[in-house]
Amino acid sequence: SVEAETLHYLCDYLQNLADKVNSYYGAERILGDDKEGQFQRLTLVLAAAFVLQAGLKILGIQAPTEL
């Protein structure tokens, strides 16, 4: 089916997103003294986590609850 033939696009997207979030998480201090900046950084990371979980669910893969 077309869906099965195009799943690699989703896999590539999720891998790219995970790589970027990992790099960002390693380079930026997510929690800190700057409360507004902290909220923005945390929101960004949580949004990425939501997208990753949804993508993995589409693929039939259970996302880990913690690393």
Side-chain angles (χ1 to χ4, degrees):
S1 78
V2 173
E3 286 181 16
E5 293 174 9
T6 58
L7 283 178
H8 71 280
Y9 292 115
L10 177 57
C11 293
D12 288 345
Y13 175 79
L14 295 175
Q15 179 66 50
N16 188 296
L17 178 59
D19 288 343
K20 290 190 181 304
V21 170
N22 188 48
S23 294
Y24 178 76
Y25 190 81
E28 296 292 329
R29 185 175 184 156
I30 305 302
L31 303 177
D33 295 332
D34 174 19
K35 294 300 178 190
E36 184 175 334
Q38 174 180 305
F39 177 77
Q40 293 169 349
R41 292 184 301 273
L42 190 55
T43 300
L44 179 64
V45 171
L46 291 174
F50 177 79
V51 171
L52 289 167
Q53 282 183 323
L56 290 174
K57 185 175 183 179
I58 290 169
L59 295 171
I61 300 170
Q62 185 175 4
T65 56
E66 61 183 66
L67 297 176

